[in-house]
Amino acid sequence: MLDKLKDKYVFFDIDGTLSEYRYDDMIYMSRNPELGCQRLDDFLFSDLFEKARPLKTMQRIVEKLNPDNIFIVGAAVTNNEINQKYSWLAKHYPNIKKDHIFFISSTMMKPEVIMECCKHFHILLEDAVFVDDRLDVLRKAEEMCIKSYHPSSFMP
């Protein structure tokens, strides 16, 4: 599967794609779909994300890609979460350039953000690939002609 990403511009999600999607051993602690597995107090005050486990398979893949062609499109709720994710990415995925990291408030807007990044960075849409764990977002991206993969596609 790595060959599907070679010579492409790859847009990765973070939660559930580059990191495990589980915090305090729960998947849906908040009972709020906007917050997912974290509670609002976690987003505001805790260091919960810094404890997230990176996915080794994804680390190996990212290490083999051209750093100029790697982008992050992640959803974030608070500045605390954003700061932690920058720090976490620098620690676990050091070859990702900070100016290629984009945080947005709505997961469902990721395909539009990818389209805008392609325009801004002069990337042909057929050269862009999106990797995310949310099937609804992947479907939307494919409807917009963005080649999309679930992280499970890369598991050995």
Side-chain angles (χ1 to χ4, degrees):
M1 279 301 292
L2 182 61
D3 59 308
K4 302 274 186 190
L5 304 181
K6 288 284 187 188
D7 302 319
K8 298 291 184 184
Y9 294 85
V10 187
F11 294 82
F12 289 98
D13 166 55
I14 302 174
D15 300 290
T17 301
L18 298 181
S19 75
E20 178 181 33
Y21 190 84
R22 190 171 192 85
Y23 300 90
D24 280 349
D25 203 28
M26 295 185 78
I27 288 179
Y28 195 52
M29 181 186 306
S30 71
R31 306 288 185 242
N32 178 338
E34 289 295 314
L35 301 178
C37 61
Q38 296 180 3
R39 297 181 315 260
L40 184 57
D41 63 317
D42 290 327
F43 283 119
L44 291 168
F45 307 112
S46 84
D47 63 350
L48 199 56
F49 192 79
E50 291 191 19
K51 299 173 188 170
R53 182 177 61 87
L55 298 179
K56 298 294 182 198
T57 298
M58 299 310 286
Q59 282 181 306
R60 285 190 291 273
I61 288 169
V62 170
E63 286 172 1
K64 294 176 182 171
L65 298 175
N66 178 348
D68 291 332
N69 295 4
I70 303 169
F71 293 84
I72 298 295
V73 180
V77 177
T78 67
N79 60 334
N80 181 48
E81 179 188 10
I82 291 169
N83 291 336
Q84 287 183 48
K85 287 183 176 182
Y86 274 123
S87 173
W88 186 89
L89 284 165
K91 178 179 178 182
H92 298 289
Y93 294 89
N95 60 330
I96 297 174
K97 297 179 175 187
K98 191 171 183 179
D99 62 342
H100 282 193
I101 300 171
F102 299 93
F103 292 111
I104 58 174
S105 61
S106 170
T107 295
M108 291 306 292
M109 284 189 59
K110 289 178 183 178
E112 287 87 352
V113 170
I114 292 168
M115 299 286 276
E116 288 301 317
C117 284
C118 286
K119 287 181 200 170
H120 179 80
F121 291 101
H122 308 288
I123 298 168
L124 297 174
L125 195 55
E126 57 265 20
D127 291 334
V129 174
F130 179 40
V131 182
D132 198 298
D133 63 311
R134 292 257 315 253
L135 296 178
D136 53 345
V137 182
L138 293 172
R139 280 189 215 102
K140 181 179 177 184
E142 283 198 343
E143 288 170 1
M144 297 172 69
C145 299
I146 300 168
K147 188 71 168 174
S148 301
Y149 294 99
H150 188 272
S152 63
S153 299
F154 302 98
M155 298 303 158

